[in-house]
Amino acid sequence: MNLRALEPLNATADARLKGQVIHRVFERFVEGWNSYEPDQRKRELMKIMDEELQKQVPWSLPRLYWRQKVSELSDKFILEEANRQINSIDGKFEVKGAILLADQNFTLVARADRIHIKNDGTLSIFDYKTGMLPSPTQQRLFDKQLYLTAAIAEGGGFKDIPPSVVSEAAFISLTASNLVRHAPFDEEGVNAAWEKFKKLISSYRCKKQGYTPRRALFNKDDISDYDQLSRFGEWDITKDPTPEDI
């Protein structure tokens, strides 16, 4: 049905806008990496930050605060980025991918912030975060974003990126310096996670499998875009579910 929450009538300097702005800043910066002299990289990063703030953020206090946070982490990011670039021969940014599960008539789609082809022919996947980074345990048991993106990449689902082994996938924090969190592929491989995902999707082909309205929320106090549709508040998570034919 492709239901999506409506955009708010009044724009605010909220977490979503912050994420969009800072994502765009670092996307532009890394795309132009090879055109910057090493001693000019921080200046170029902050120049891009000022341009994006001018275009997207009309509020003075958020501008100052967001700019200061980026400035604080810039030196560490640039140092780590230099090491990432050494191992990369090509990179794609904001790239869409998809893979079809023909037996289930189900298509999984993704948008990767960055996918790099490494010197050894394997792939690296990086995703920017301006919020909390999921721990390795959360990724293995709960947050499967990097795993599923890696499965699409290994299946050849990203245009202009040849299918290959994903040897590295990590979240990169854009609000805290020195914070990169890798997917725990050594604890659970991409293929193992992919098989679990296919089993989950297959289970929904069974008529007895219900659709849970607040599925996969990390905290009981988390808010879902679908809470209003499910009339959450008239019931709570302590109540036993009652099957209902619709």
Side-chain angles (χ1 to χ4, degrees), residues 95-101 106-112 115 148-149 151-159 161 194:
V95 56
K96 294 181 180 179
I99 192 169
L100 172 66
L101 300 179
F106 180 91
T107 300
L108 177 68
V109 299
R111 181 193 294 270
I115 299 181
L148 296 180
T149 305
I152 294 174
E154 292 192 352
F158 286 99
K159 184 180 180 181
I161 299 176
W194 181 240

Side-chain angles (χ1 to χ4, degrees), residues 197-222:
F197 177 76
K198 291 195 295 183
K199 182 178 180 181
L200 172 66
I201 298 303
S202 295
S203 70
Y204 283 102
R205 294 176 64 85
C206 177
K207 292 183 179 180
K208 294 183 179 180
Q209 174 66 50
Y211 290 83
T212 306
R214 285 176 57 82
R215 187 180 186 280
L217 297 179
F218 184 65
N219 292 314
K220 66 179 182 180
D221 296 329
D222 286 346

Side-chain angles (χ1 to χ4, degrees), residues 12 66 80 104 132 153 210 228 237 244:
T12 59
W66 296 355
E80 293 176 341
Q104 289 82 18
M132 293 289 292
Q228 182 181 16
I237 61 174
E244 181 178 347

Side-chain angles (χ1 to χ4, degrees), residues 24-191:
R24 179 58 180 157
V25 168
F26 282 88
E27 177 191 346
R28 286 181 56 191
F29 175 66
V30 176
E31 282 184 321
W33 178 269
N34 292 327
S35 65
Y36 312 138
E37 294 296 331
D39 62 346
Q40 296 297 316
R41 287 169 182 162
K42 182 172 182 177
R43 182 182 67 82
E44 292 296 333
L45 174 60
M46 300 314 298
K47 177 183 176 182
I48 294 171
M49 183 69 186
D50 289 336
E51 291 173 354
E52 291 299 327
L53 289 174
Q54 180 68 27
K55 288 191 296 185
Q56 301 190 56
V57 186
W59 307 276
S60 58
L61 288 180
R63 278 189 187 184
L64 292 172
Y65 180 66
W66 296 355
R67 190 184 195 282
Q68 179 62 29
K69 296 299 290 184
V70 169
S71 179
E72 290 174 357
L73 66 85
S74 61
D75 291 333
K76 186 66 176 180
F77 179 90
I78 290 170
L79 179 62
E80 293 176 341
E81 184 59 32
N83 292 327
R84 285 190 284 267
Q85 292 288 336
I86 290 173
N87 295 318
S88 172
I89 60 175
D90 191 18
K92 306 294 183 182
F93 303 90
E94 288 294 321
V95 56
K96 294 181 180 179
I99 192 169
L100 172 66
L101 300 179
D103 292 343
Q104 289 82 18
N105 192 28
F106 180 91
T107 300
L108 177 68
V109 299
R111 181 193 294 270
D113 286 342
R114 297 172 57 180
I115 299 181
H116 289 261
I117 302 174
K118 300 173 70 173
N119 296 326
D120 61 3
T122 64
L123 303 177
S124 291
I125 295 173
F126 300 111
D127 187 82
Y128 296 135
K129 291 292 184 186
T130 52
M132 293 289 292
L133 301 188
S135 69
T137 300
Q138 289 172 337
Q139 293 183 59
R140 185 169 54 85
L141 299 177
F142 175 77
D143 190 324
K144 294 292 187 178
Q145 177 184 345
L146 292 179
Y147 275 100
L148 296 180
T149 305
I152 294 174
E154 292 192 352
F158 286 99
K159 184 180 180 181
D160 298 328
I161 299 176
S164 184
V165 172
V166 176
S167 58
E168 177 186 29
F171 292 111
I172 300 175
S173 175
L174 299 183
T175 55
S177 60
N178 194 26
L179 192 54
V180 176
R181 191 156 289 163
H182 288 81
F185 290 163
D186 56 336
E187 298 178 27
E188 179 179 55
V190 174
N191 287 337

